[in-house]
Amino acid sequence: MDKMEVKGQMHEWKGKLKQKYANLTDDDLKHEEGKDEEFWGRVQKKTGQAKDDLVKWLKGLG
């Protein structure tokens, strides 16, 4: 997945992640340009899911 694809879907993904994982905060879901790995690290830590599994789930939602 390239960075443009992630950037284009980030707002939608944040909402879906927050719906499924209520323990995620706005700070956890804060995404800054060039800090993709930090974002995914926070999400993985809070959800206990691997990045690839999370991305696969998000892409499967449409």
Side-chain angles (χ1 to χ4, degrees):
M1 171 182 329
D2 65 25
K3 292 189 185 296
M4 288 303 293
E5 184 178 358
V6 169
K7 186 176 180 180
Q9 295 179 319
M10 191 56 69
H11 291 291
E12 180 182 346
W13 285 4
K14 286 179 185 182
K16 290 180 181 190
L17 284 165
K18 207 167 187 179
Q19 286 175 350
K20 181 166 179 153
Y21 301 100
N23 63 326
L24 288 170
T25 66
D26 289 335
D27 284 340
D28 294 329
L29 295 173
K30 184 177 178 184
H31 181 263
E32 296 177 36
E33 188 74 32
K35 296 188 177 183
D36 295 338
E37 293 306 315
E38 287 180 26
F39 168 80
W40 287 112
R42 288 190 305 271
V43 173
Q44 285 178 262
K45 185 176 181 180
K46 284 282 190 114
T47 64
Q49 301 292 316
K51 175 185 172 184
D52 290 341
D53 293 337
L54 289 166
V55 171
K56 183 178 177 182
W57 172 73
L58 288 165
K59 283 185 163 187
L61 295 174

